mmCIF file of all heavy atoms in Angstrom:
data_model
loop_
_atom_site.group_PDB
_atom_site.id
_atom_site.type_symbol
_atom_site.label_atom_id
_atom_site.label_comp_id
_atom_site.label_asym_id
_atom_site.label_seq_id
_atom_site.Cartn_x
_atom_site.Cartn_y
_atom_site.Cartn_z
ATOM 1 N N PHE R 52 -8.644 30.521 -9.216
ATOM 2 C CA PHE R 52 -8.240 31.923 -9.313
ATOM 3 C C PHE R 52 -6.762 32.060 -9.670
ATOM 4 O O PHE R 52 -6.302 33.126 -10.048
ATOM 5 C CB PHE R 52 -8.543 32.673 -8.016
ATOM 6 C CG PHE R 52 -10.005 32.757 -7.727
ATOM 7 C CD1 PHE R 52 -10.523 32.272 -6.535
ATOM 8 C CD2 PHE R 52 -10.880 33.300 -8.651
ATOM 9 C CE1 PHE R 52 -11.873 32.324 -6.275
ATOM 10 C CE2 PHE R 52 -12.233 33.364 -8.400
ATOM 11 C CZ PHE R 52 -12.737 32.871 -7.208
ATOM 12 N N GLU R 53 -6.017 30.998 -9.487
ATOM 13 C CA GLU R 53 -4.638 30.966 -9.973
ATOM 14 C C GLU R 53 -4.499 29.712 -10.826
ATOM 15 O O GLU R 53 -5.143 28.695 -10.555
ATOM 16 C CB GLU R 53 -3.623 30.882 -8.821
ATOM 17 C CG GLU R 53 -3.716 31.971 -7.781
ATOM 18 C CD GLU R 53 -3.120 33.290 -8.235
ATOM 19 O OE1 GLU R 53 -2.602 33.369 -9.376
ATOM 20 O OE2 GLU R 53 -3.178 34.251 -7.457
ATOM 21 N N THR R 54 -3.663 29.796 -11.835
ATOM 22 C CA THR R 54 -3.403 28.640 -12.682
ATOM 23 C C THR R 54 -2.089 28.015 -12.245
ATOM 24 O O THR R 54 -1.084 28.707 -12.159
ATOM 25 C CB THR R 54 -3.286 29.086 -14.154
ATOM 26 O OG1 THR R 54 -4.374 29.955 -14.431
ATOM 27 C CG2 THR R 54 -3.326 27.898 -15.078
ATOM 28 N N PRO R 55 -2.092 26.702 -11.971
ATOM 29 C CA PRO R 55 -0.828 26.069 -11.582
ATOM 30 C C PRO R 55 0.194 26.169 -12.714
ATOM 31 O O PRO R 55 -0.168 26.071 -13.881
ATOM 32 C CB PRO R 55 -1.221 24.602 -11.344
ATOM 33 C CG PRO R 55 -2.699 24.599 -11.184
ATOM 34 C CD PRO R 55 -3.220 25.763 -11.963
ATOM 35 N N SER R 56 1.445 26.383 -12.340
ATOM 36 C CA SER R 56 2.506 26.388 -13.360
ATOM 37 C C SER R 56 2.739 24.974 -13.868
ATOM 38 O O SER R 56 3.175 24.765 -14.988
ATOM 39 C CB SER R 56 3.806 26.937 -12.775
ATOM 40 O OG SER R 56 3.573 28.116 -12.049
ATOM 41 N N ALA R 57 2.465 23.995 -13.006
ATOM 42 C CA ALA R 57 2.587 22.597 -13.415
ATOM 43 C C ALA R 57 1.687 21.767 -12.513
ATOM 44 O O ALA R 57 1.259 22.235 -11.460
ATOM 45 C CB ALA R 57 4.031 22.129 -13.289
ATOM 46 N N GLY R 58 1.397 20.537 -12.939
ATOM 47 C CA GLY R 58 0.607 19.644 -12.108
ATOM 48 C C GLY R 58 -0.871 19.755 -12.396
ATOM 49 O O GLY R 58 -1.302 20.558 -13.220
ATOM 50 N N SER R 59 -1.656 18.919 -11.726
ATOM 51 C CA SER R 59 -3.076 18.907 -12.035
ATOM 52 C C SER R 59 -3.937 18.940 -10.777
ATOM 53 O O SER R 59 -3.535 18.489 -9.707
ATOM 54 C CB SER R 59 -3.415 17.654 -12.850
ATOM 55 O OG SER R 59 -3.351 16.520 -12.013
ATOM 56 N N VAL R 60 -5.101 19.517 -10.939
ATOM 57 C CA VAL R 60 -6.097 19.573 -9.875
ATOM 58 C C VAL R 60 -7.313 18.811 -10.368
ATOM 59 O O VAL R 60 -7.825 19.087 -11.451
ATOM 60 C CB VAL R 60 -6.502 21.032 -9.571
ATOM 61 C CG1 VAL R 60 -7.614 21.071 -8.540
ATOM 62 C CG2 VAL R 60 -5.300 21.840 -9.103
ATOM 63 N N LYS R 61 -7.746 17.830 -9.580
ATOM 64 C CA LYS R 61 -8.966 17.122 -9.944
ATOM 65 C C LYS R 61 -9.954 17.219 -8.805
ATOM 66 O O LYS R 61 -9.573 17.090 -7.635
ATOM 67 C CB LYS R 61 -8.670 15.643 -10.215
ATOM 68 C CG LYS R 61 -8.222 15.365 -11.626
ATOM 69 C CD LYS R 61 -8.143 13.859 -11.847
ATOM 70 C CE LYS R 61 -7.388 13.563 -13.132
ATOM 71 N NZ LYS R 61 -6.944 12.176 -13.181
ATOM 72 N N VAL R 62 -11.210 17.454 -9.151
ATOM 73 C CA VAL R 62 -12.259 17.436 -8.146
ATOM 74 C C VAL R 62 -13.313 16.456 -8.620
ATOM 75 O O VAL R 62 -13.812 16.583 -9.739
ATOM 76 C CB VAL R 62 -12.874 18.834 -7.931
ATOM 77 C CG1 VAL R 62 -14.010 18.759 -6.923
ATOM 78 C CG2 VAL R 62 -11.814 19.816 -7.458
ATOM 79 N N ASP R 63 -13.608 15.496 -7.800
ATOM 80 C CA ASP R 63 -14.594 14.476 -8.134
ATOM 81 C C ASP R 63 -14.280 13.831 -9.486
ATOM 82 O O ASP R 63 -15.168 13.638 -10.319
ATOM 83 C CB ASP R 63 -15.999 15.113 -8.158
ATOM 84 C CG ASP R 63 -17.080 14.055 -7.974
ATOM 85 O OD1 ASP R 63 -16.731 12.884 -7.712
ATOM 86 O OD2 ASP R 63 -18.274 14.403 -8.095
ATOM 87 N N GLY R 64 -13.007 13.554 -9.693
ATOM 88 C CA GLY R 64 -12.599 12.887 -10.915
ATOM 89 C C GLY R 64 -12.483 13.783 -12.131
ATOM 90 O O GLY R 64 -12.039 13.351 -13.186
ATOM 91 N N ARG R 65 -12.884 15.049 -11.986
ATOM 92 C CA ARG R 65 -12.879 15.944 -13.140
ATOM 93 C C ARG R 65 -11.620 16.803 -13.120
ATOM 94 O O ARG R 65 -11.329 17.463 -12.123
ATOM 95 C CB ARG R 65 -14.126 16.829 -13.079
ATOM 96 C CG ARG R 65 -14.313 17.739 -14.271
ATOM 97 C CD ARG R 65 -15.762 18.223 -14.353
ATOM 98 N NE ARG R 65 -16.035 19.279 -13.390
ATOM 99 C CZ ARG R 65 -16.563 20.469 -13.732
ATOM 100 N NH1 ARG R 65 -16.859 20.749 -14.974
ATOM 101 N NH2 ARG R 65 -16.794 21.371 -12.806
ATOM 102 N N ASP R 66 -10.892 16.793 -14.225
ATOM 103 C CA ASP R 66 -9.690 17.612 -14.326
ATOM 104 C C ASP R 66 -10.113 19.074 -14.447
ATOM 105 O O ASP R 66 -10.919 19.437 -15.287
ATOM 106 C CB ASP R 66 -8.881 17.190 -15.556
ATOM 107 C CG ASP R 66 -7.528 17.883 -15.579
ATOM 108 O OD1 ASP R 66 -7.335 18.854 -14.812
ATOM 109 O OD2 ASP R 66 -6.656 17.466 -16.360
ATOM 110 N N MET R 67 -9.554 19.915 -13.575
ATOM 111 C CA MET R 67 -10.014 21.289 -13.491
ATOM 112 C C MET R 67 -9.238 22.240 -14.395
ATOM 113 O O MET R 67 -9.549 23.414 -14.456
ATOM 114 C CB MET R 67 -9.877 21.779 -12.042
ATOM 115 C CG MET R 67 -10.922 21.199 -11.115
ATOM 116 S SD MET R 67 -12.502 21.991 -11.420
ATOM 117 C CE MET R 67 -13.624 20.707 -10.971
#
Side-chain angles (χ1 to χ4, degrees):
Chain R
F52 295 123
E53 304 283 359
T54 313
S56 313
S59 72
V60 176
K61 274 188 193 163
V62 177
D63 201 6
R65 185 161 77 126
D66 188 346
M67 286 285 151

